[in-house]
Amino acid sequence: MKPETMQTIFEYFSGSRWAIPSSKQHESAILSLTGYTDETIVLAVKQAKIGLGRTFISVAELATQCKMVERKAKHVGVRNEIVFSQDEVNRDRDAAFKRILNLSKDEIRAAVKHGREIGALTNDPIDPDVFKWRAWQIGMVSALAETIG
């Protein structure tokens, strides 16, 4: 554990004697927290300070808080794995528009008809001029044309 991490613990919980390196409990406390990264411990300390209205924290309480931080990090990590780059979105949109421009009117009609049959498109009329289409219409019709073509 980094000295900065121990200093953070002591700053937030000055009554925690085990955080002092000269303490008899210091070494066993360090061993109890070895499975956690310094970043996790610091986050756990900061979150625990919000929840606890006192100046000390036990090693067991900090370990429990570390477990909670790791669970939250896993959950957030899974949720944030899907990240879209604006450049990638623009490339996909441009490629879909090029596909639409290369389709014949019959292929576009077939794609729109298929989309309405499966419920991907509503029965609202679509402008015959593809340059007036919205981005989602271009992407949807392009994808539909690709699946049936």
Side-chain angles (χ1 to χ4, degrees):
M1 184 181 302
K2 294 179 185 174
E4 298 88 18
T5 305
M6 292 307 291
Q7 185 176 350
T8 302
I9 294 169
F10 198 69
E11 283 174 17
Y12 280 80
F13 295 101
S14 59
S16 300
R17 300 280 181 236
W18 59 266
I20 302 170
S22 60
S23 169
K24 293 178 184 178
Q25 301 166 339
H26 182 75
E27 203 170 306
S28 64
I30 295 289
L31 289 174
S32 298
L33 298 171
T34 53
Y36 305 107
T37 65
D38 289 310
E39 293 80 15
T40 300
I41 294 170
V42 169
L43 282 172
V45 165
K46 290 178 179 180
Q47 287 183 358
K49 185 63 177 180
I50 294 168
L52 297 173
R54 57 182 194 242
T55 60
F56 67 92
I57 186 169
S58 70
V59 178
E61 287 172 323
L62 184 54
T64 301
Q65 194 69 35
C66 287
K67 287 178 190 174
M68 289 173 34
V69 166
E70 285 183 342
R71 278 191 222 125
K72 285 180 187 176
K74 273 186 194 173
H75 179 70
V76 170
V78 168
R79 190 177 54 193
N80 289 338
E81 276 181 13
I82 303 171
V83 177
F84 296 102
S85 155
Q86 189 60 46
D87 292 336
E88 189 178 340
V89 170
N90 291 340
R91 279 194 303 273
D92 289 347
R93 185 181 302 139
D94 292 344
F97 191 66
K98 286 177 185 175
R99 278 194 300 272
I100 293 287
L101 292 177
N102 290 329
L103 293 173
S104 69
K105 288 186 179 189
D106 290 337
E107 289 172 317
I108 292 173
R109 280 191 200 105
V112 170
K113 181 181 176 193
H114 177 66
R116 288 182 173 150
E117 287 171 354
I118 64 170
L121 294 172
T122 63
N123 286 330
D124 296 338
I126 296 178
D127 196 312
D129 184 6
V130 296
F131 291 97
K132 294 181 182 176
W133 286 10
R134 295 177 181 242
W136 70 268
Q137 290 171 317
I138 292 169
M140 183 62 71
V141 173
S142 173
L144 289 164
E146 208 172 296
T147 59
I148 64 170

